[in-house]
Amino acid sequence: MRVLNASQIVDRSRFNAFHLAIIVWSFIIIMFDGYDIVIYGSVVPVLMEEWSLSSVVTGAIGSYATLGTAIGALAFGYLADKIGRRKVIVLCVVLFSIFVPLAGLMVDPVLFAICRVIAGLGLGGVMPNIIALTTEYAPKTSRAAIVSFVFCGYSVGGILAGLVSRLILPEFGWRPIFWIGAIPLLLLPFILKALPESYGQLLRKGEHQKVGQILSRANPEYQPDEQDTFAMGSDAKEAKPSLGKLFESKRRLSTIMFWFACFSCFILISSLNTWLPKLMMETGYDLRSSLTFVMVLNAGAILGTIIFGRLTDKKGFKTVLIPLYVCGAVALSAIGLKTDLWLAYILIAIVGAASIGLQNLLNAYVSQYYPAEIRSTAVGVYTAFGRIGGIVAPMLVGILLSMSLSPQTNLVVLAFSGVIGAIAILLVKEQHGDSIKRLPEETGAGIKSQT
């Protein structure tokens, strides 16, 4: 009987059709996640006029929805480590694919807000589990790039939200934009077929034969035997996942710093998702032009994720993330200055790379920092804490707008969060991380076995 290290089998795998299927369907799920979140900001100017909403109330609705995503990230991240990531991902997809379209049927802002909060549970819950599942099965040599690429789906969804809004909003109103959010319900059979269950979860249930079948698809060099049993090495002691483990093994400071880094990212992301079109209209652009800025923001996020995601695999996360936070703060502050249109596009693209794109990279960083058996919990809690920034941001910008401050002042206030993020990442102790601290020769070693 062989006792094999499941983590090493995956680490040594080469990219193949198994990985491609996970990436494609994870990308699509995150794309609709991004679409469903960004569409609110795209229709804010219309909703404010139709329902006679003040900027403070409009920001509060955005904050309530973000509160739902925070609760969803925490609850579903923890639940997935108990019952399995695949089941929770499907549950979350069903949740947001029902309540986002329902919001488009509401005729009252209170009912609209309730639907957005419930949809937010699924929108927030799906993200940490996609991160954890993709990290678990990605080859070691390209893990950060793959996880970061999957989360480009969020930005593609944001671009679609801006594009669909430009095409539909002037002619058909805001409601059909929300109805499009029901499409993932039609894709559920394909998602169920493509996504495997976490091998860590299967091992905790003692289903070693099923793990062998999945690992042989991830790494065809491994030939399964019915007698094979698996361990996950030092990163899985068969212990039950718990919140306390996030602070063990000298991870306390880094855990807290990850939370603040995520908090600062969501200050920017949520502010821009909710208010970017309105902010640009305040500076003199019309609605169609302002919606173009939403697409540019997310295009910048995609380019930043792809370029810097690959760079983190070569240079390390801290080397890339800290300067990116600073560049984002500078670019956001400069947008409020008197600039021409194309320079404004460039600055918005940089902000997209340093907010949404940076969050994608940060997701990959955190998912690799923690052991596999607490990965969903770790990412869920970190995301939930970060979304506190997302809860605060829409109301903060709404209050700033109600004070009739200059656009420059508003943007400088938001840009300060980038400085907080840079300091937080600087204080992360990489030597206490999990797969980040493994040497290449360790993960590339042969499959260890015992007889």
Side-chain angles (χ1 to χ4, degrees), residues 29-40 65-74 76 88-89 91-101 115-131 151 154 178 181 184 266 383 387:
I29 292 170
I30 296 300
M31 180 182 72
F32 278 99
D33 186 286
Y35 176 87
D36 291 344
I37 290 175
V38 173
I39 51 175
Y40 177 66
T66 308
L67 176 62
T69 63
I71 295 172
L74 181 60
F76 286 118
V88 169
I89 288 171
L91 175 60
C92 290
V93 170
V94 171
L95 202 57
F96 68 70
S97 299
I98 291 174
F99 282 93
V100 167
C115 286
R116 290 293 290 171
V117 171
I118 299 174
L121 296 174
L123 293 169
V126 79
M127 190 171 288
N129 289 293
I130 289 291
I131 296 171
F151 279 83
Y154 181 95
F178 283 76
F266 272 102
T383 306
R387 287 185 188 274

Side-chain angles (χ1 to χ4, degrees), residues 428-450:
V428 169
K429 305 296 183 182
E430 286 194 335
Q431 65 269 30
H432 303 313
D434 181 59
S435 59
I436 294 173
K437 70 184 178 183
R438 299 182 198 165
L439 297 175
E441 56 268 25
E442 290 176 340
T443 56
I447 299 174
K448 297 182 180 179
S449 63
Q450 300 175 10

